[in-house]
Amino acid sequence: MVDRIVRPDDNRPIAEVVLLKQFDRVLHYSVPESLLDRLEPGMRVLVPFRTGWRTGIVTRRLQQADVARVKPILELLDSTPTLDRPMMALARWLSDYYMTGWGVAMKAILPTGLEVNAGRHYRMTEAGRKAMSGSFRTGEVGRQFLAVLEKAPRGLRLEPLLERIKTTKPSRRGDHQRRSGPLSILVRKGWVEETMVLPRRRSSTVKEAPVSRSPRPPVSLKAISDPENMTASMPADLERAVHSGRFSAACLEGQPDRTRSTVTAVMMETLRRGRSVIILVPEIGRVSGWAGRLRARVGDGVGILHSGLSDRERRAEWEKARRGDVSIVVGTRLAVFAPVPNPGLIVVEDEQDTAYKQEEAPRYHARDVAVLRGTHDGALVLLTGASPSVETYANIQNGKYQSVHLADQQAGLPARPSVSIVNLADQPRGMFVSEELLAAVTARLEQKEPVVLFLNRRGFGTALYCRDCGVVVRCSRCHVATVYSKRSGRLSCPYCGMADYPPTTCSGCRGTHLEILGAGTERVEEFLKARFPSASILRLDRDTARPGDVSAAIERLNRSEVDLIIGTQLLLSGPPMTRSGLIGLLLADGALHLPDFRAGEHTFRLISRILNFSVGGEVILQTYHPTHESIAWAVTGDPKEFYEQELAQRKALGYPPFVRLAAVTVKALNESKAEAAAQRLVENLKRAVRSDDSRPGFQILGPVAAMRPRLRGKYRRQILIKAPDSRTLHEALASGLRALRSESGRSNVWFEVDVDPLRIE
């Protein structure tokens, strides 16, 4: 099948299509007569693109387009729009704000597996066989195509066919197109037949069913009207917000149990008013707990969405939400895109958690997307957490968000644990568990009380070091120190995952005095088992834990089936302790050494979460900076002082929330190429700013080598852009990138734009 080219004077309607890939342009295709009455914006279509077929989303229909020629849409994949207008608008905002392709934003919203991967299939025709048997004129590559296809009566798909074709010129960029050119000539001559091959449609298309927009959600009416489900009276402010049907955002402050019961009461009232609910949690482990509790209350009208589901399961859950078969969706950050009808409540549990920030394009923050959806849908957005982010605290102070303090109505609330600080500078060199902490662990184990130790470093040792010359063994692709695991006997890169057995000699001096530096959870576990051989000790980190292991381990600790747990911050994703005991943080100030303006906030939040994890008892913090404000204020339980001081520092230094921030990482296989591209981008940004004198407060920092200058085989340069407002930031950055992309010589250079970055690395 040869694509028919349609010219504008054919007067055939045109559809704008966005491909579900990293591609910035909106493409134009003609609408075949058979689709004129069926094609709508938001539907998936199959369209020709370059040498193959791609899945795209129709964004709108036009009568004419200012293009020289267009190709027709090949196939309509939906009977109803996959994305409705509100979700299309949300994808457009994601694309504009986070500076990524519209198709990438749509792909983030949609469940995986909705792309139909079609390919070209080629078979020799009877005319081609006659030409082969006689005298014919074609080039060397064309002769090879005919010879290969003559031996394949059923034909071949494009990629396997091209692999069998040899060229006399060396392989280079664009070789694929050069070889397929002679094949197109054979198709035009009629010697080769070209057809489109589609995969099996059952596993890649959306299950078609009427999309419900009924105001009554599919939950048990008896359940949501049952007085037993009114677990807490709502504060008056929240009751007014639910009844108003207008957007508002509120931050709940109170004990976790009280906060959860209030959220449940607000949710029940939202359901009674015929609206849907989305609940976001930072970790997959919390989804099942929420879903189980809600199903026990309201029946089966509860869906789940998270990355731990298979592609088929995610599509099924997403489709149930789209059809209105569920009125509540619980999930991780991707659940913020759940296509539930008429959302009236969006809950973001532990809104300060960095897991809500997507690390790949589009680099969205689920909390901010939740606020945007609430604005558009007239929904109430509830933010919960033991210690709000600095940005959320600032929004409370300036009146954008409400602060709702939940009075503790329960008797016998757990006492705040006693906290002591150990200065690691006073300890012997290399000691990772102080004598003070060891004595406390011994006492608690003798009294049969639970012990939990935190160390946010997995593995046995953090580096392999040569005592003769000081060289540290590094990953050849990422140039970062490799982590040693005694269990596997290998050194592994924490970023690309490359693993190898440790060398026996130093690569620098050929010496043999290699030593393991630092301590991870595996080394601490070995030390504790040797020190307390009769104790039942568990280790929980990403090397050992499977889904559900964290909650199960803490439940075992609460039941006295386990004496001691050593783990990373992963432990905080589980339920809190219910028995008074000992918690030790082996290195409280690990984040303080990072070149990140949020380092103090990360430290304050980690200590605050650990204090909330404990039920009374004792907490011991080991640190090299016992007097640091972030540690001191977390220990004294005075968050207001921390937030006020942190905001004052950020204002003085020009950091969010007082400025808008974006980080651009320039990557290349060649170091000089990365540096040159970064320098050109800075020059373009400066030109964009100079062209508009109304942009005071605009600042460019860099380019500099990134904190990890080489990662996964690519050299990295980083640029930080500060602007007084979002519009200035986006306009300048878009102008600078557009100018750079139009320049020649940009092959093998990549740009990553992170708007509102949480980590600068």
Side-chain angles (χ1 to χ4, degrees):
M1 181 186 77
V2 182
D3 298 330
R4 176 172 166 334
I5 303 299
V6 180
R7 302 189 181 280
D9 54 11
D10 286 0
N11 291 323
R12 182 170 294 184
I14 302 296
E16 287 188 348
V17 175
V18 172
L19 303 182
L20 296 178
K21 66 189 297 287
Q22 181 67 330
F23 190 71
D24 294 336
R25 292 169 51 197
V26 175
L27 303 178
H28 296 86
Y29 293 91
S30 66
V31 181
E33 292 184 8
S34 60
L35 302 182
L36 288 178
D37 297 331
R38 295 189 288 149
L39 190 69
E40 298 180 41
M43 289 183 168
R44 294 175 306 139
V45 291
L46 197 65
V47 294
F49 180 73
R50 294 178 180 167
T51 60
W53 282 262
R54 291 281 185 174
T55 304
I57 299 289
V58 176
T59 58
R60 62 172 178 164
R61 287 176 56 169
L62 306 170
Q63 281 305 118
Q64 284 189 326
D66 187 19
V67 290
R69 58 183 185 175
V70 292
K71 294 180 179 180
I73 292 172
L74 299 175
E75 186 170 351
L76 178 63
L77 301 175
D78 297 321
S79 60
T80 59
T82 294
L83 289 177
D84 59 17
R85 292 189 182 277
M87 299 304 283
M88 292 273 286
L90 178 60
R92 179 78 269 183
W93 179 85
L94 282 173
S95 171
D96 292 342
Y97 187 81
Y98 292 105
M99 305 201 70
T100 188
W102 196 359
V104 174
M106 291 180 179
K107 196 170 182 178
I109 290 175
L110 293 170
T112 50
L114 290 188
E115 289 185 86
V116 176
N117 298 313
R120 297 176 185 265
H121 185 272
Y122 296 90
R123 186 178 63 85
M124 181 181 288
T125 64
E126 191 61 34
R129 291 189 179 85
K130 290 180 180 179
M132 286 282 290
S133 61
S135 60
F136 65 97
R137 297 180 59 184
T138 188
E140 174 60 28
V141 177
R143 290 178 180 272
Q144 289 188 51
F145 276 121
L146 292 175
V148 170
L149 290 174
E150 188 178 29
K151 298 176 182 178
R154 296 185 178 181
L156 292 169
R157 294 189 64 157
L158 178 61
E159 293 299 332
L161 178 58
L162 291 180
E163 289 174 0
R164 305 186 189 189
I165 304 303
K166 299 178 181 179
T167 62
T168 57
K169 297 181 181 180
S171 177
R172 59 178 176 83
R173 187 177 177 87
D175 188 54
H176 182 287
Q177 288 84 353
R178 186 176 68 252
R179 284 182 293 171
S180 60
L183 185 58
S184 300
I185 295 174
L186 298 178
V187 172
R188 287 199 295 270
K189 287 183 176 181
W191 295 353
V192 171
E193 179 187 52
E194 181 186 55
T195 56
M196 176 176 63
V197 178
L198 292 174
R200 295 175 62 183
R201 296 286 300 281
R202 183 172 56 184
S203 62
S204 60
T205 58
V206 175
K207 181 181 177 181
E208 301 294 352
V211 178
S212 170
R213 290 294 177 236
S214 169
R216 176 58 59 189
V219 295
S220 168
L221 297 180
K222 180 179 182 297
I224 62 177
S225 302
D226 193 334
E228 292 184 1
N229 281 326
M230 294 300 293
T231 57
S233 60
M234 282 186 290
D237 289 344
L238 296 184
E239 190 170 4
R240 284 193 296 269
V242 173
H243 293 170
S244 72
R246 296 190 299 270
F247 163 72
S248 61
C251 184
L252 301 186
E253 299 179 37
Q255 287 290 330
D257 288 344
R258 175 75 171 117
T259 299
R260 188 162 292 177
S261 62
T262 301
V263 167
T264 304
V266 175
M267 179 195 69
M268 291 296 179
E269 183 60 27
T270 302
L271 295 176
R272 268 189 286 272
R273 300 183 67 82
R275 305 192 69 181
S276 301
V277 177
I278 298 173
I279 299 177
L280 304 181
V281 294
E283 293 106 1
I284 293 176
R286 299 194 200 181
V287 174
S288 58
W290 261 110
R293 288 190 297 270
L294 293 175
R295 284 170 179 153
R297 290 181 178 275
V298 301
D300 295 331
V302 181
I304 60 173
L305 279 174
H306 57 76
S307 59
L309 300 174
S310 67
D311 288 353
R312 184 183 296 274
E313 289 170 332
R314 280 176 65 180
R315 288 197 301 272
E317 292 290 332
W318 185 87
E319 185 59 25
K320 285 195 296 185
R322 189 176 79 106
R323 291 196 306 263
D325 292 348
V326 296
S327 56
I328 306 170
V329 172
V330 184
T332 53
R333 62 173 176 261
L334 61 86
V336 74
F337 303 121
V340 293
N342 193 20
L345 173 66
I346 305 177
V347 180
V348 186
E349 187 174 74
D350 283 342
E351 60 83 24
Q352 77 283 355
D353 200 298
T354 56
Y356 286 120
K357 176 72 171 179
Q358 172 82 358
E359 295 182 356
E360 299 175 351
R363 294 175 173 81
Y364 65 89
H365 197 299
R367 177 199 60 213
D368 300 336
V369 177
V371 171
L372 181 82
R373 283 200 72 177
T375 303
H376 288 173
D377 295 325
L380 170 62
V381 179
L382 288 184
L383 309 178
T384 75
S387 53
S389 65
V390 171
E391 287 80 2
T392 295
Y393 182 86
N395 281 326
I396 293 172
Q397 296 302 106
N398 61 30
K400 290 184 179 179
Y401 299 166
Q402 287 181 281
S403 177
V404 180
H405 181 73
L406 303 175
D408 298 321
Q409 299 175 350
Q410 301 170 355
L413 286 173
R416 185 176 176 85
S418 64
V419 183
S420 56
I421 297 177
V422 176
N423 190 346
L424 287 174
D426 298 334
Q427 302 297 316
R429 183 179 176 84
M431 177 171 283
F432 44 85
V433 182
S434 64
E435 290 297 335
E436 292 90 335
L437 182 56
L438 275 176
V441 171
T442 302
R444 295 289 176 172
L445 292 179
E446 289 176 351
Q447 298 168 23
K448 303 297 182 182
E449 294 178 349
V451 177
V452 177
L453 300 181
F454 287 91
L455 178 62
N456 213 29
R457 293 176 179 171
R458 61 184 179 87
F460 188 85
T462 55
L464 188 63
Y465 160 85
C466 176
R467 288 188 299 171
D468 295 330
C469 68
V471 166
V472 173
V473 178
R474 298 181 181 274
C475 173
S476 60
R477 299 180 69 232
C478 302
H479 201 63
V480 297
T482 51
V483 176
Y484 176 68
S485 170
K486 195 171 185 178
R487 181 180 181 182
S488 66
R490 294 190 175 194
L491 293 167
S492 63
C493 176
Y495 292 94
C496 72
M498 183 178 289
D500 202 356
Y501 292 103
T504 56
T505 59
C506 172
S507 61
C509 68
R510 313 308 299 174
T512 58
H513 299 100
L514 300 178
E515 181 179 337
I516 298 170
L517 291 180
T521 50
E522 188 180 21
R523 190 170 199 168
V524 176
E525 177 193 29
E526 182 182 89
F527 170 79
L528 293 172
K529 285 185 173 180
R531 187 68 178 256
F532 306 105
S534 61
S536 174
I537 298 175
L538 283 183
R539 172 166 63 95
L540 281 174
D541 53 34
R542 300 209 179 274
D543 292 334
T544 62
R546 296 172 297 179
D549 281 359
V550 174
S551 296
I554 296 174
E555 291 299 331
R556 291 181 64 193
L557 184 77
N558 291 331
R559 294 194 301 265
S560 301
E561 297 173 5
V562 171
D563 299 319
L564 187 153
I565 297 178
I566 169 69
T568 61
Q569 198 169 325
L570 180 69
L571 277 171
L572 295 174
S573 65
M577 295 171 63
T578 59
R579 296 170 59 218
S580 176
L582 170 68
I583 293 181
L585 181 55
L586 300 190
L587 188 60
D589 48 10
L592 288 177
H593 307 296
L594 300 176
D596 187 348
F597 71 91
R598 289 191 173 91
E601 181 184 0
H602 294 324
T603 301
F604 174 84
R605 185 176 301 138
L606 173 61
I607 297 174
S608 298
R609 290 183 69 186
I610 286 176
L611 294 179
N612 286 319
F613 185 78
S614 174
V615 180
E618 180 184 9
V619 173
I620 296 178
L621 307 178
Q622 297 186 162
T623 174
Y624 288 101
H625 300 86
T627 60
H628 194 279
E629 308 87 42
S630 299
I631 297 175
W633 282 321
V635 169
T636 59
D638 193 352
K640 184 176 180 180
E641 288 295 327
F642 165 75
Y643 287 120
E644 294 298 335
Q645 179 67 22
E646 185 73 10
L647 285 171
Q649 290 179 357
R650 293 194 190 182
K651 186 174 184 179
L653 297 173
Y655 281 108
F658 300 99
V659 300
R660 311 302 300 200
L661 185 68
V664 181
T665 304
V666 182
K667 303 189 296 184
L669 298 174
N670 179 281
E671 187 173 11
S672 61
K673 207 166 193 175
E675 179 66 26
Q679 290 288 356
R680 289 200 304 273
L681 177 57
V682 168
E683 293 168 4
N684 291 337
L685 288 170
K686 290 179 178 178
R687 280 195 293 269
V689 175
R690 282 196 298 267
S691 65
D692 186 352
D693 295 333
S694 64
R695 291 177 172 175
F698 190 91
Q699 188 178 6
I700 303 170
L701 304 177
V704 297
M707 188 172 73
R708 294 172 178 83
R710 191 179 179 202
L711 206 60
R712 299 178 182 90
K714 297 184 178 68
Y715 293 92
R716 306 164 77 240
R717 293 294 183 269
Q718 196 164 72
I719 303 163
L720 289 183
I721 302 104
K722 296 180 181 180
D725 55 70
S726 179
R727 179 179 178 182
T728 300
L729 177 73
H730 286 80
E731 287 181 352
L733 195 49
S735 175
L737 288 171
R738 186 166 52 248
L740 186 58
R741 285 167 177 157
S742 66
E743 297 175 8
S744 58
R746 204 190 63 78
S747 60
N748 294 324
V749 176
W750 297 268
F751 300 92
E752 288 182 355
V753 181
D754 191 357
V755 178
D756 302 334
L758 288 189
R759 293 187 178 91
I760 300 174
E761 54 182 27

